[in-house]
Amino acid sequence: MTIRILIADDEALLRMAFSTVLEAQPDMAPIGEAADGIQAVRLARELRPDVVLMDVRMPGTDGIAATQQVIRVSPRSRVLILTTFDLDEYAFAGLNAGASGFLLKNTRPEELLTAIRSVAVGDAVVSPRITRRLLEHLRPRIPDGSSADRDERLSQLSAREREVLVQVGRGLSNTQIAATLYLAEATVKSHLGRILQKLELRDRIQAVIFAYESRLIHPA
């Protein structure tokens, strides 16, 4: 499968650099460039990209607002936010807006390419540091109580799906979950897909948040 990518950044040289890196990959194709948030939303509606590389600080409509609109006009598109600024508020706002990943622009090219491939298949890409801070941010919203008071939506999951969700909530990758539960990685992906579908969750990050908010697991 060729991953169709829209690049949204107000710096022309960066758009060119990203495009050059992507064009060298046999499974990726840059299909458009946007210099601001409004143009990014318009091109997302017209082109229906698989992944949008979204800058945060752009003139007019910024990357956070544009992410919300892209998700609305092209629900199948995944947004990977790239920023020069390592600020928690950008990460939290981006994830709340529906982004599937958050990376700094000084990320190595191979890490960026891996992130794009992960986001394209429905995974979320967020650094462990951001994940830890996100959970700390959510801690006041995580209720105390017994397992009997857990979110009733958990009843929709099979025993194995609950096991997989627990490992996802602990931050394990699909490969690590497969090793922990003695499953094939493809089986883990299938379980995760059903979990997201049953719980009406968009991606892995939302699954992590649900695992904590539903009291399936508790913060250490």
Side-chain angles (χ1 to χ4, degrees), residues 149-200:
D149 296 324
R150 288 175 180 168
D151 193 304
E152 61 181 14
R153 288 177 292 172
L154 286 172
S155 63
Q156 301 177 52
L157 304 181
S158 68
R160 179 60 85 182
E161 288 167 351
R162 287 194 186 199
E163 290 178 334
V164 170
L165 181 55
V166 166
Q167 303 307 321
V168 169
R170 290 173 176 164
L172 273 63
S173 67
N174 287 350
T175 301
Q176 292 170 324
I177 295 173
T180 300
L181 299 181
Y182 303 100
L183 298 171
E185 188 171 350
T187 302
V188 173
K189 290 181 179 179
S190 296
H191 283 312
L192 181 57
R194 286 194 293 271
I195 290 168
L196 297 179
Q197 183 178 25
K198 288 180 178 180
L199 300 179
E200 297 182 349

Side-chain angles (χ1 to χ4, degrees), residues 198-215:
K198 288 180 178 180
L199 300 179
E200 297 182 349
L201 304 175
R202 179 173 175 80
D203 54 34
R204 202 181 195 94
I205 284 294
Q206 289 193 349
V208 171
I209 294 171
F210 176 85
Y212 281 88
E213 290 189 330
S214 67
R215 305 171 190 165

Side-chain angles (χ1 to χ4, degrees), residues 67-83:
T67 293
Q68 290 180 308
Q69 296 177 45
V70 165
I71 299 304
R72 186 171 65 251
V73 302
S74 182
R76 293 185 178 274
S77 296
R78 304 284 175 170
V79 177
L80 180 58
I81 289 181
L82 296 173
T83 180

